[in-house]
Amino acid sequence: VQLQASGGGLVQAGGSLRLSCAASGGIFSDNNMGWYRQPPGKQRELVAAIGSDGTTDYADFVKGRFAISRDNTKNTVYLQMNTLKPEDTAIYYCYAQSPWAAMIGIKTSWGQGTLVTVSS
């Protein structure tokens, strides 16, 4: 699966953005999908994940503010980000995880990253 992330940009604190990650190749609906982020000077961290069955999981620091969803007819996963804070500033990466990769705990593919900057 090849991934193309988009939707990043500059937004004021309290604002919203929606990230998209379009997949091509493979069987999108079979894959777990998700988003990581890497703030400046920090390690990459998990933000949200959505399983092939639609179950979702969120990092504590985005619960209640971000929502992950997928549209299997468009081979796209979304991250709706609301009430953005300056500390949400990061490069956001989407990933795909095939069923076999899930069994051994690795990710199959990564998107190229999209920059989100939240100004105070």
Side-chain angles (χ1 to χ4, degrees), residues 16-91:
S16 298
L17 280 175
R18 189 176 80 156
L19 306 183
S20 299
C21 178
S24 59
I27 304 175
F28 178 79
S29 59
D30 285 352
N31 282 262
N32 299 328
M33 304 293 296
W35 294 90
Y36 275 71
R37 72 183 186 187
Q38 187 164 17
K42 296 185 179 181
Q43 300 261 3
R44 193 177 292 194
E45 56 192 5
L46 177 66
V47 176
I50 185 165
S52 58
D53 60 357
T55 56
T56 59
D57 190 29
Y58 296 94
D60 287 343
F61 52 78
V62 302
K63 281 182 180 176
R65 299 189 299 125
F66 290 12
I68 189 170
S69 62
R70 64 191 297 160
D71 186 339
N72 290 340
T73 67
K74 297 182 179 179
N75 290 354
T76 302
V77 62
Y78 303 98
L79 185 67
Q80 178 67 44
M81 305 186 294
N82 300 323
T83 319
L84 283 161
K85 305 175 182 180
E87 52 263 43
D88 294 318
T89 295
I91 300 174

